[in-house]
């Protein structure tokens, strides 16, 4: 039986007004996506790769000098996507307009791997700040 290696896709780049607000929103998204990755590892014992988790830490360590959009990280993420045999798409706010998420879904579709779309329950968010930055329900309001 082939080992499960799950790629976790979710929106990262913020389109919020103001650089500080963008950084804040990206940090909240990284927290939520990383917690989901940890949950999969802890409760299901599966191997995961989260480009947001990996990339956010490196981007912050670079002093925010590296690119932060999907194209800037393609050389890092593409070889790892090729190794993964599942994709979970976290439907956080902005997932449906994210160029990176679209690109990741298309990559797996070419390999005939259908995405598992994940809607996080309201109690997954640890505080209101995460919910405001991440919950797609707030877009409908």
């Amino acid at each position: 039986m082939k080992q499960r290696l799950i790629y976790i896709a979710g929106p990262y780049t913020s389109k919020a007004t103001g650089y500080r607000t963008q950084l804040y929103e990206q940090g909240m998204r990284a927290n939520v996506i990383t917690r989901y990755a940890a949950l999969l590892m802890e409760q299901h014992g599966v191997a995961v790769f989260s480009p947001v988790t990996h990339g956010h830490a490196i981007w912050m360590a670079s002093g925010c000098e590296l690119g932060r959009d999907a194209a800037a990280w393609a050389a890092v993420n593409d070889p790892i996507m090729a190794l993964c045999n599942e994709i979970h798409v976290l439907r956080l706010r902005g997932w449906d307009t994210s160029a990176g998420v679209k690109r990741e879904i298309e990559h797996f579709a070419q390999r005939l791997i259908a995405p598992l779309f994940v809607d996080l329950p309201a109690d997954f968010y640890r505080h209101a700040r995460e919910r405001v930055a991440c919950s797609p329900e707030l877009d409908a309001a």
Side-chain angles (χ1 to χ4, degrees):
M1 181 179 201
K2 191 174 189 179
Q3 179 182 357
R4 293 174 69 191
L5 180 53
I6 300 171
Y7 188 94
I8 302 170
Y12 177 66
T13 304
S14 172
K15 294 176 178 59
T17 303
Y19 186 68
R20 292 178 107 168
T21 305
Q22 290 174 357
L23 291 178
Y24 179 79
E25 188 170 276
Q26 288 176 190
M28 291 294 105
R29 289 176 177 182
N31 288 344
V32 168
I33 292 169
T34 300
R35 189 174 322 111
Y36 178 77
L39 178 78
L40 287 178
M41 293 173 67
E42 181 182 345
Q43 291 188 357
H44 302 285
V46 295
V48 302
F49 177 73
S50 164
V52 170
T53 301
H54 181 82
H56 180 72
I58 293 172
W59 186 71
M60 294 299 289
S62 79
C64 306
E65 294 298 320
L66 293 170
R68 60 182 168 156
D69 63 0
W73 288 89
V76 174
N77 296 337
D78 287 2
I80 297 172
M81 269 197 292
L83 299 172
C84 294
N85 50 28
E86 292 182 41
I87 179 174
H88 290 199
V89 177
L90 296 183
R91 293 200 277 202
L92 304 180
R93 183 154 44 97
W95 78 273
D96 53 340
T97 59
S98 168
V101 171
K102 180 180 179 191
R103 186 176 182 282
E104 292 159 340
I105 291 171
E106 288 172 355
H107 169 90
F108 283 91
Q110 289 174 354
R111 295 172 48 209
L112 305 177
I113 298 172
L116 172 67
F117 292 103
V118 178
D119 296 310
L120 298 173
D123 64 354
F124 190 84
Y125 303 110
R126 290 201 170 146
H127 45 73
R129 296 182 308 269
E130 282 185 353
R131 196 168 78 71
V132 168
C134 299
S135 178
E137 295 170 3
L138 297 179
D139 283 341

